[in-house]
Amino acid sequence: MIKIRINANFHTIGGKSVLRSKDPRFLEYREQWASRPQSFAAGEFPLHLDIEASSNCNLRCPFCATNYRSIGNKGFMSFNTFKKVIDEGAKQGLCAIKLNSGNRGEPLLNRLLPEMIAYAKKKGIMDVYFNTNATLLTKDTSKKVIKAGLDRLSISFEGTTPEVYEKYRVGAKFNKVLKNIKDFIKIRNKIKTGKPLVRIQTVAVPEVAAALAEYKRFWSKIADEVIYFDFKDHAKQRDLVCDWTCPSFWQRLSIAWDGSITACHEYPDFCKLGNINRGNSVRSVWQGRALEKLRELQKKGRSHEIEMCNNCAFRAAEIFKLKKGK
């Protein structure tokens, strides 16, 4: 029996979900987020796009996938490429975008980010957000992204002490980044927009996993939501066979910084199915035969036959949990 679990890799331990909303359109979007994979219904267009504002990062975190796989050319998405994606998405009823793709880029390195947020909101995208390490979240940048209309922000922060944080966020300083986060919240509250809602998140590295109560206590005083992600072991991921299906194939697509349209937000360098700058549309890829073949393999429990899936640490982590009965 095929097993599909939605959002199974992260766990809220403090505050309230940043996905809360009373907007009927938003509620319908989240309902489809759960129901599309369960019924293997892709619809005519993805619900969500992961748009890679930057493939560069200013940190070197040891658990990051970039340390375990090669990455092609790096760069920053141009506004023209971004505009093409959003213009098509707006016409097709696109619900949400995240200004990251995969686990490799820090979007605040792209100076066009506030303009991108503002344009997406102007075109009617309901949920605009990004993940950040917050090292570049200065007061000036904070004001810009808040005023641009950002809906939510996810900030990655391991632990509650300099020792743990700086061990895993190599290149960042605990006190500086903590101040950036607190300043961001103060600015948001002063502007009184009510947005963006802020999620603090961590990978469940050993030091954090052993002190989740302290992590919750520390961050619940600061952020709207506190979560942890399951740790993914990049060394244990190949040739696992299981009736497990990745929900992403019925929810989202990824657009790399250069306009490449890829099937996977976890590994945007694999399985490129087109390019927005070379005449391909998001809709044509979403409904195309190549992606449908991948969906068919997923539905039949044959995801290990797909190279990018067979190399996926997220898939491996989920299969290990199923086999352990978690």
Side-chain angles (χ1 to χ4, degrees), residues 205-261:
V205 294
E207 295 90 338
V208 174
L212 283 175
E214 171 59 18
Y215 191 83
K216 172 184 176 180
R217 185 197 65 77
F218 184 92
W219 287 109
S220 292
K221 298 175 182 178
I222 299 170
D224 299 294
E225 181 182 21
V226 184
I227 77 162
Y228 72 89
F229 286 96
D230 296 326
F231 180 78
K232 294 182 289 188
D233 188 343
H234 293 270
K236 298 179 180 179
Q237 58 194 43
R238 292 189 61 84
D239 303 321
L240 299 170
V241 180
C242 180
D243 288 338
W244 176 86
T245 296
C246 179
S248 295
F249 287 86
W250 292 271
Q251 297 168 326
R252 67 210 294 180
L253 276 179
S254 177
I255 316 295
W257 70 272
D258 62 355
S260 297
I261 306 170

Short mmCIF file of all heavy atoms in Angstrom, two decimals, residues 205-261:
data_model
loop_
_atom_site.label_atom_id
_atom_site.label_comp_id
_atom_site.label_asym_id
_atom_site.label_seq_id
_atom_site.Cartn_x
_atom_site.Cartn_y
_atom_site.Cartn_z
N VAL A 205 19.76 18.32 15.11
CA VAL A 205 21.11 17.81 15.35
C VAL A 205 21.16 17.28 16.79
O VAL A 205 20.30 17.62 17.62
CB VAL A 205 22.17 18.91 15.12
CG1 VAL A 205 22.19 19.31 13.66
CG2 VAL A 205 21.90 20.12 16.00
N PRO A 206 22.12 16.45 17.13
CA PRO A 206 22.11 15.80 18.46
C PRO A 206 21.95 16.74 19.64
O PRO A 206 21.17 16.46 20.57
CB PRO A 206 23.47 15.08 18.50
CG PRO A 206 23.76 14.77 17.06
CD PRO A 206 23.23 15.94 16.29
N GLU A 207 22.68 17.86 19.65
CA GLU A 207 22.59 18.79 20.78
C GLU A 207 21.20 19.40 20.93
O GLU A 207 20.73 19.63 22.05
CB GLU A 207 23.63 19.90 20.63
CG GLU A 207 25.07 19.44 20.68
CD GLU A 207 25.63 19.07 19.32
OE1 GLU A 207 24.84 18.77 18.40
OE2 GLU A 207 26.86 19.10 19.16
N VAL A 208 20.55 19.66 19.81
CA VAL A 208 19.21 20.24 19.85
C VAL A 208 18.17 19.18 20.20
O VAL A 208 17.26 19.41 21.01
CB VAL A 208 18.86 20.91 18.50
CG1 VAL A 208 17.41 21.38 18.50
CG2 VAL A 208 19.80 22.07 18.22
N ALA A 209 18.29 18.01 19.60
CA ALA A 209 17.34 16.92 19.87
C ALA A 209 17.31 16.56 21.34
O ALA A 209 16.26 16.17 21.87
CB ALA A 209 17.71 15.69 19.03
N ALA A 210 18.44 16.71 22.02
CA ALA A 210 18.51 16.38 23.44
C ALA A 210 17.99 17.50 24.34
O ALA A 210 17.87 17.31 25.55
CB ALA A 210 19.96 16.06 23.82
N ALA A 211 17.68 18.65 23.73
CA ALA A 211 17.26 19.80 24.54
C ALA A 211 16.11 20.56 23.87
O ALA A 211 16.08 21.79 23.87
CB ALA A 211 18.45 20.74 24.77
N LEU A 212 15.15 19.82 23.34
CA LEU A 212 14.03 20.45 22.63
C LEU A 212 13.17 21.32 23.56
O LEU A 212 12.64 22.35 23.14
CB LEU A 212 13.16 19.39 21.96
CG LEU A 212 13.73 18.79 20.67
CD1 LEU A 212 12.82 17.67 20.17
CD2 LEU A 212 13.89 19.86 19.59
N ALA A 213 13.04 20.93 24.82
CA ALA A 213 12.24 21.72 25.77
C ALA A 213 12.87 23.10 25.97
O ALA A 213 12.17 24.11 26.03
CB ALA A 213 12.12 21.00 27.10
N GLU A 214 14.18 23.14 26.06
CA GLU A 214 14.88 24.41 26.21
C GLU A 214 14.79 25.24 24.94
O GLU A 214 14.61 26.46 24.99
CB GLU A 214 16.36 24.16 26.56
CG GLU A 214 17.25 25.39 26.53
CD GLU A 214 16.80 26.49 27.50
OE1 GLU A 214 16.03 26.21 28.44
OE2 GLU A 214 17.25 27.64 27.32
N TYR A 215 14.90 24.58 23.80
CA TYR A 215 14.76 25.28 22.51
C TYR A 215 13.38 25.91 22.41
O TYR A 215 13.25 27.08 22.02
CB TYR A 215 14.99 24.29 21.37
CG TYR A 215 15.12 24.94 20.01
CD1 TYR A 215 16.33 25.47 19.58
CD2 TYR A 215 14.03 25.03 19.14
CE1 TYR A 215 16.47 26.06 18.33
CE2 TYR A 215 14.15 25.62 17.90
CZ TYR A 215 15.37 26.14 17.49
OH TYR A 215 15.48 26.74 16.25
N LYS A 216 12.36 25.16 22.78
CA LYS A 216 10.99 25.69 22.76
C LYS A 216 10.86 26.87 23.71
O LYS A 216 10.28 27.91 23.35
CB LYS A 216 10.01 24.58 23.16
CG LYS A 216 8.59 25.07 23.37
CD LYS A 216 7.69 23.94 23.88
CE LYS A 216 6.30 24.45 24.19
NZ LYS A 216 5.41 23.36 24.70
N ARG A 217 11.35 26.74 24.92
CA ARG A 217 11.24 27.81 25.92
C ARG A 217 11.92 29.09 25.44
O ARG A 217 11.36 30.18 25.54
CB ARG A 217 11.87 27.35 27.23
CG ARG A 217 11.70 28.35 28.39
CD ARG A 217 12.67 28.08 29.51
NE ARG A 217 14.05 28.29 29.11
CZ ARG A 217 14.61 29.51 28.98
NH1 ARG A 217 13.90 30.61 29.21
NH2 ARG A 217 15.87 29.62 28.60
N PHE A 218 13.11 28.96 24.93
CA PHE A 218 13.90 30.11 24.49
C PHE A 218 13.23 30.85 23.34
O PHE A 218 13.07 32.08 23.39
CB PHE A 218 15.30 29.62 24.07
CG PHE A 218 16.25 30.72 23.69
CD1 PHE A 218 17.09 31.28 24.64
CD2 PHE A 218 16.34 31.18 22.38
CE1 PHE A 218 17.98 32.28 24.30
CE2 PHE A 218 17.22 32.17 22.02
CZ PHE A 218 18.05 32.74 22.99
N TRP A 219 12.83 30.10 22.31
CA TRP A 219 12.35 30.75 21.09
C TRP A 219 10.86 31.10 21.11
O TRP A 219 10.42 31.98 20.38
CB TRP A 219 12.67 29.87 19.88
CG TRP A 219 14.12 29.90 19.55
CD1 TRP A 219 15.03 28.91 19.70
CD2 TRP A 219 14.85 31.03 19.02
NE1 TRP A 219 16.28 29.32 19.30
CE2 TRP A 219 16.19 30.63 18.88
CE3 TRP A 219 14.49 32.33 18.66
CZ2 TRP A 219 17.18 31.48 18.39
CZ3 TRP A 219 15.47 33.19 18.18
CH2 TRP A 219 16.81 32.76 18.04
N SER A 220 10.09 30.45 21.95
CA SER A 220 8.65 30.77 22.02
C SER A 220 8.42 32.19 22.52
O SER A 220 7.35 32.78 22.28
CB SER A 220 7.93 29.77 22.93
OG SER A 220 7.90 28.49 22.35
N LYS A 221 9.40 32.75 23.21
CA LYS A 221 9.28 34.13 23.69
C LYS A 221 9.54 35.15 22.58
O LYS A 221 9.26 36.33 22.74
CB LYS A 221 10.29 34.37 24.82
CG LYS A 221 10.09 33.51 26.05
CD LYS A 221 11.20 33.74 27.06
CE LYS A 221 11.05 32.85 28.28
NZ LYS A 221 12.18 33.05 29.24
N ILE A 222 10.05 34.68 21.47
CA ILE A 222 10.49 35.57 20.41
C ILE A 222 9.66 35.41 19.13
O ILE A 222 9.20 36.39 18.54
CB ILE A 222 11.97 35.33 20.10
CG1 ILE A 222 12.83 35.63 21.33
CG2 ILE A 222 12.44 36.18 18.90
CD1 ILE A 222 14.28 35.20 21.21
N ALA A 223 9.47 34.16 18.70
CA ALA A 223 8.86 33.89 17.39
C ALA A 223 7.39 33.49 17.50
O ALA A 223 6.89 33.17 18.58
CB ALA A 223 9.64 32.78 16.70
N ASP A 224 6.69 33.49 16.36
CA ASP A 224 5.29 33.09 16.31
C ASP A 224 5.15 31.58 16.34
O ASP A 224 4.17 31.05 16.86
CB ASP A 224 4.64 33.64 15.04
CG ASP A 224 4.67 35.16 15.00
OD1 ASP A 224 4.00 35.78 15.85
OD2 ASP A 224 5.37 35.72 14.14
N GLU A 225 6.11 30.88 15.74
CA GLU A 225 6.08 29.42 15.71
C GLU A 225 7.50 28.91 15.86
O GLU A 225 8.46 29.51 15.36
CB GLU A 225 5.49 28.91 14.39
CG GLU A 225 5.40 27.39 14.30
CD GLU A 225 4.85 26.88 12.98
OE1 GLU A 225 4.90 27.64 11.98
OE2 GLU A 225 4.39 25.73 12.93
N VAL A 226 7.65 27.77 16.54
CA VAL A 226 8.94 27.13 16.73
C VAL A 226 8.82 25.68 16.26
O VAL A 226 7.93 24.95 16.70
CB VAL A 226 9.39 27.15 18.21
CG1 VAL A 226 10.79 26.55 18.35
CG2 VAL A 226 9.34 28.57 18.76
N ILE A 227 9.72 25.27 15.37
CA ILE A 227 9.66 23.90 14.84
C ILE A 227 11.05 23.28 14.77
O ILE A 227 12.06 23.98 14.85
CB ILE A 227 9.01 23.84 13.44
CG1 ILE A 227 10.02 24.32 12.38
CG2 ILE A 227 7.74 24.67 13.36
CD1 ILE A 227 9.67 23.91 10.98
N TYR A 228 11.07 21.95 14.60
CA TYR A 228 12.32 21.29 14.26
C TYR A 228 12.08 20.37 13.08
O TYR A 228 10.99 19.84 12.88
CB TYR A 228 12.90 20.52 15.44
CG TYR A 228 12.19 19.25 15.82
CD1 TYR A 228 12.52 18.01 15.25
CD2 TYR A 228 11.17 19.26 16.78
CE1 TYR A 228 11.88 16.85 15.61
CE2 TYR A 228 10.53 18.09 17.16
CZ TYR A 228 10.88 16.89 16.57
OH TYR A 228 10.24 15.74 16.92
N PHE A 229 13.12 20.22 12.26
CA PHE A 229 13.12 19.30 11.13
C PHE A 229 13.84 18.02 11.52
O PHE A 229 14.84 18.05 12.25
CB PHE A 229 13.85 19.91 9.93
CG PHE A 229 13.10 20.98 9.22
CD1 PHE A 229 13.33 22.31 9.51
CD2 PHE A 229 12.18 20.66 8.24
CE1 PHE A 229 12.64 23.31 8.84
CE2 PHE A 229 11.48 21.64 7.57
CZ PHE A 229 11.71 22.96 7.88
N ASP A 230 13.37 16.90 11.00
CA ASP A 230 14.10 15.65 11.20
C ASP A 230 15.48 15.76 10.57
O ASP A 230 15.64 16.34 9.49
CB ASP A 230 13.34 14.49 10.54
CG ASP A 230 12.00 14.24 11.19
OD1 ASP A 230 11.88 14.43 12.41
OD2 ASP A 230 11.06 13.85 10.47
N PHE A 231 16.45 15.19 11.24
CA PHE A 231 17.81 15.18 10.71
C PHE A 231 17.87 14.22 9.52
O PHE A 231 17.31 13.12 9.57
CB PHE A 231 18.80 14.74 11.78
CG PHE A 231 20.24 14.70 11.31
CD1 PHE A 231 20.96 15.87 11.20
CD2 PHE A 231 20.83 13.50 10.97
CE1 PHE A 231 22.28 15.84 10.75
CE2 PHE A 231 22.15 13.46 10.54
CZ PHE A 231 22.87 14.64 10.42
N LYS A 232 18.53 14.64 8.45
CA LYS A 232 18.67 13.80 7.27
C LYS A 232 20.12 13.35 7.12
O LYS A 232 21.01 14.19 7.02
CB LYS A 232 18.22 14.57 6.01
CG LYS A 232 16.75 14.90 6.00
CD LYS A 232 16.34 15.61 4.73
CE LYS A 232 16.86 17.02 4.65
NZ LYS A 232 16.31 17.79 3.52
N ASP A 233 20.33 12.05 7.11
CA ASP A 233 21.67 11.50 6.99
C ASP A 233 21.98 11.29 5.50
O ASP A 233 21.45 10.38 4.87
CB ASP A 233 21.76 10.17 7.74
CG ASP A 233 23.18 9.64 7.81
OD1 ASP A 233 24.03 10.10 7.03
OD2 ASP A 233 23.44 8.78 8.66
N HIS A 234 22.85 12.12 4.96
CA HIS A 234 23.14 12.05 3.54
C HIS A 234 23.98 10.84 3.17
O HIS A 234 24.19 10.57 1.98
CB HIS A 234 23.85 13.34 3.10
CG HIS A 234 22.98 14.55 3.17
ND1 HIS A 234 22.20 14.96 2.11
CD2 HIS A 234 22.73 15.41 4.18
CE1 HIS A 234 21.52 16.04 2.46
NE2 HIS A 234 21.82 16.33 3.70
N ALA A 235 24.47 10.11 4.14
CA ALA A 235 25.28 8.93 3.86
C ALA A 235 24.44 7.66 3.74
O ALA A 235 24.94 6.62 3.33
CB ALA A 235 26.34 8.74 4.96
N LYS A 236 23.15 7.73 4.12
CA LYS A 236 22.29 6.55 4.10
C LYS A 236 21.04 6.83 3.28
O LYS A 236 19.99 7.14 3.82
CB LYS A 236 21.89 6.16 5.53
CG LYS A 236 23.06 5.77 6.42
CD LYS A 236 22.56 5.43 7.82
CE LYS A 236 23.70 5.03 8.73
NZ LYS A 236 23.23 4.72 10.10
N GLN A 237 21.18 6.71 1.97
CA GLN A 237 20.03 7.11 1.17
C GLN A 237 19.82 6.32 -0.11
O GLN A 237 18.78 6.43 -0.74
CB GLN A 237 20.16 8.59 0.82
CG GLN A 237 21.44 8.94 0.06
CD GLN A 237 21.70 10.42 0.03
OE1 GLN A 237 21.54 11.10 1.03
NE2 GLN A 237 22.08 10.94 -1.11
N ARG A 238 20.73 5.50 -0.52
CA ARG A 238 20.61 4.86 -1.82
C ARG A 238 19.94 3.48 -1.76
O ARG A 238 20.06 2.75 -0.78
CB ARG A 238 21.98 4.73 -2.48
CG ARG A 238 22.61 6.05 -2.88
CD ARG A 238 23.85 5.82 -3.72
NE ARG A 238 23.54 5.11 -4.94
CZ ARG A 238 23.11 5.70 -6.06
NH1 ARG A 238 22.94 7.02 -6.09
NH2 ARG A 238 22.84 5.00 -7.13
N ASP A 239 19.25 3.16 -2.87
CA ASP A 239 18.73 1.81 -3.13
C ASP A 239 17.78 1.31 -2.05
O ASP A 239 17.77 0.12 -1.71
CB ASP A 239 19.88 0.83 -3.31
CG ASP A 239 20.81 1.25 -4.45
OD1 ASP A 239 20.29 1.73 -5.47
OD2 ASP A 239 22.04 1.11 -4.30
N LEU A 240 16.98 2.21 -1.51
CA LEU A 240 15.95 1.81 -0.55
C LEU A 240 14.65 1.59 -1.30
O LEU A 240 14.22 2.43 -2.09
CB LEU A 240 15.76 2.91 0.50
CG LEU A 240 16.99 3.25 1.36
CD1 LEU A 240 16.73 4.50 2.18
CD2 LEU A 240 17.35 2.08 2.26
N VAL A 241 14.01 0.46 -1.05
CA VAL A 241 12.77 0.13 -1.73
C VAL A 241 11.63 0.16 -0.72
O VAL A 241 11.69 -0.50 0.31
CB VAL A 241 12.84 -1.25 -2.41
CG1 VAL A 241 11.51 -1.57 -3.11
CG2 VAL A 241 13.99 -1.29 -3.40
N CYS A 242 10.60 0.94 -1.03
CA CYS A 242 9.47 1.06 -0.10
C CYS A 242 8.29 1.67 -0.85
O CYS A 242 8.47 2.46 -1.78
CB CYS A 242 9.86 1.96 1.07
SG CYS A 242 8.55 2.19 2.30
N ASP A 243 7.08 1.29 -0.45
CA ASP A 243 5.88 1.87 -1.04
C ASP A 243 5.62 3.25 -0.46
O ASP A 243 4.58 3.52 0.15
CB ASP A 243 4.67 0.95 -0.80
CG ASP A 243 4.74 -0.30 -1.65
OD1 ASP A 243 5.44 -0.29 -2.67
OD2 ASP A 243 4.09 -1.30 -1.29
N TRP A 244 6.58 4.12 -0.63
CA TRP A 244 6.48 5.51 -0.15
C TRP A 244 6.48 6.42 -1.36
O TRP A 244 7.25 6.22 -2.31
CB TRP A 244 7.67 5.84 0.75
CG TRP A 244 7.68 7.28 1.21
CD1 TRP A 244 7.05 7.79 2.29
CD2 TRP A 244 8.37 8.37 0.59
NE1 TRP A 244 7.28 9.14 2.39
CE2 TRP A 244 8.09 9.51 1.36
CE3 TRP A 244 9.18 8.50 -0.54
CZ2 TRP A 244 8.60 10.78 1.03
CZ3 TRP A 244 9.69 9.74 -0.87
CH2 TRP A 244 9.40 10.86 -0.08
N THR A 245 5.63 7.42 -1.32
CA THR A 245 5.52 8.36 -2.44
C THR A 245 5.74 9.78 -1.97
O THR A 245 5.17 10.20 -0.96
CB THR A 245 4.13 8.25 -3.10
OG1 THR A 245 3.98 6.95 -3.67
CG2 THR A 245 3.96 9.28 -4.20
N CYS A 246 6.53 10.52 -2.69
CA CYS A 246 6.81 11.92 -2.36
C CYS A 246 5.63 12.79 -2.77
O CYS A 246 5.21 12.78 -3.94
CB CYS A 246 8.07 12.39 -3.07
SG CYS A 246 8.49 14.11 -2.75
N PRO A 247 5.05 13.56 -1.85
CA PRO A 247 3.89 14.38 -2.19
C PRO A 247 4.20 15.54 -3.12
O PRO A 247 3.29 16.07 -3.79
CB PRO A 247 3.42 14.90 -0.82
CG PRO A 247 4.64 14.86 0.03
CD PRO A 247 5.42 13.67 -0.43
N SER A 248 5.46 15.93 -3.22
CA SER A 248 5.82 17.13 -3.97
C SER A 248 5.41 17.07 -5.44
O SER A 248 5.13 18.10 -6.05
CB SER A 248 7.34 17.38 -3.89
OG SER A 248 7.73 17.66 -2.58
N PHE A 249 5.39 15.88 -6.02
CA PHE A 249 5.09 15.75 -7.44
C PHE A 249 3.67 16.21 -7.80
O PHE A 249 3.36 16.40 -8.96
CB PHE A 249 5.31 14.31 -7.90
CG PHE A 249 6.75 13.93 -7.99
CD1 PHE A 249 7.43 13.46 -6.88
CD2 PHE A 249 7.44 14.05 -9.18
CE1 PHE A 249 8.77 13.12 -6.96
CE2 PHE A 249 8.78 13.72 -9.28
CZ PHE A 249 9.45 13.25 -8.15
N TRP A 250 2.83 16.34 -6.78
CA TRP A 250 1.45 16.79 -7.01
C TRP A 250 1.19 18.15 -6.37
O TRP A 250 0.06 18.62 -6.37
CB TRP A 250 0.47 15.75 -6.45
CG TRP A 250 0.52 14.48 -7.24
CD1 TRP A 250 -0.23 14.17 -8.34
CD2 TRP A 250 1.38 13.36 -7.02
NE1 TRP A 250 0.12 12.92 -8.81
CE2 TRP A 250 1.10 12.41 -8.02
CE3 TRP A 250 2.36 13.07 -6.08
CZ2 TRP A 250 1.76 11.18 -8.11
CZ3 TRP A 250 3.04 11.85 -6.16
CH2 TRP A 250 2.74 10.92 -7.16
N GLN A 251 2.24 18.78 -5.86
CA GLN A 251 2.09 20.06 -5.17
C GLN A 251 2.87 21.21 -5.79
O GLN A 251 2.36 22.31 -5.91
CB GLN A 251 2.56 19.93 -3.71
CG GLN A 251 1.77 18.97 -2.86
CD GLN A 251 2.48 18.68 -1.55
OE1 GLN A 251 3.72 18.64 -1.46
NE2 GLN A 251 1.71 18.49 -0.48
N ARG A 252 4.12 20.94 -6.20
CA ARG A 252 5.03 22.06 -6.46
C ARG A 252 6.06 21.74 -7.55
O ARG A 252 6.33 20.59 -7.85
CB ARG A 252 5.76 22.42 -5.17
CG ARG A 252 6.72 21.33 -4.70
CD ARG A 252 6.90 21.29 -3.20
NE ARG A 252 7.57 22.46 -2.65
CZ ARG A 252 7.83 22.61 -1.34
NH1 ARG A 252 7.50 21.65 -0.49
NH2 ARG A 252 8.42 23.69 -0.90
N LEU A 253 6.62 22.81 -8.09
CA LEU A 253 7.78 22.73 -8.97
C LEU A 253 8.83 23.72 -8.47
O LEU A 253 8.53 24.63 -7.69
CB LEU A 253 7.41 23.08 -10.41
CG LEU A 253 6.83 21.99 -11.31
CD1 LEU A 253 6.52 22.56 -12.69
CD2 LEU A 253 7.78 20.80 -11.44
N SER A 254 10.04 23.56 -8.99
CA SER A 254 11.14 24.44 -8.60
C SER A 254 11.67 25.18 -9.83
O SER A 254 11.81 24.59 -10.90
CB SER A 254 12.25 23.61 -7.96
OG SER A 254 13.36 24.42 -7.64
N ILE A 255 11.97 26.47 -9.64
CA ILE A 255 12.58 27.27 -10.70
C ILE A 255 13.95 27.71 -10.23
O ILE A 255 14.07 28.47 -9.26
CB ILE A 255 11.73 28.52 -11.05
CG1 ILE A 255 10.24 28.18 -11.15
CG2 ILE A 255 12.25 29.17 -12.33
CD1 ILE A 255 9.87 27.25 -12.25
N ALA A 256 15.00 27.23 -10.87
CA ALA A 256 16.36 27.58 -10.49
C ALA A 256 16.66 29.02 -10.89
O ALA A 256 15.94 29.63 -11.70
CB ALA A 256 17.35 26.63 -11.13
N TRP A 257 17.74 29.56 -10.36
CA TRP A 257 18.09 30.97 -10.57
C TRP A 257 18.22 31.34 -12.06
O TRP A 257 17.93 32.46 -12.46
CB TRP A 257 19.40 31.30 -9.84
CG TRP A 257 20.61 30.65 -10.47
CD1 TRP A 257 21.11 29.41 -10.19
CD2 TRP A 257 21.47 31.20 -11.48
NE1 TRP A 257 22.22 29.14 -10.97
CE2 TRP A 257 22.46 30.23 -11.76
CE3 TRP A 257 21.49 32.41 -12.15
CZ2 TRP A 257 23.46 30.44 -12.70
CZ3 TRP A 257 22.48 32.62 -13.10
CH2 TRP A 257 23.46 31.65 -13.37
N ASP A 258 18.62 30.35 -12.89
CA ASP A 258 18.82 30.63 -14.32
C ASP A 258 17.58 30.37 -15.16
O ASP A 258 17.61 30.44 -16.39
CB ASP A 258 19.99 29.80 -14.85
CG ASP A 258 19.75 28.29 -14.76
OD1 ASP A 258 18.70 27.88 -14.21
OD2 ASP A 258 20.60 27.52 -15.24
N GLY A 259 16.46 30.07 -14.50
CA GLY A 259 15.21 29.82 -15.21
C GLY A 259 14.90 28.37 -15.47
O GLY A 259 13.83 28.04 -16.01
N SER A 260 15.81 27.45 -15.09
CA SER A 260 15.54 26.02 -15.28
C SER A 260 14.35 25.59 -14.44
O SER A 260 14.24 25.95 -13.27
CB SER A 260 16.77 25.20 -14.88
OG SER A 260 17.88 25.50 -15.68
N ILE A 261 13.48 24.80 -15.03
CA ILE A 261 12.31 24.28 -14.33
C ILE A 261 12.62 22.83 -13.95
O ILE A 261 12.91 22.00 -14.81
CB ILE A 261 11.06 24.32 -15.23
CG1 ILE A 261 10.84 25.74 -15.77
CG2 ILE A 261 9.83 23.84 -14.46
CD1 ILE A 261 9.77 25.82 -16.85
#
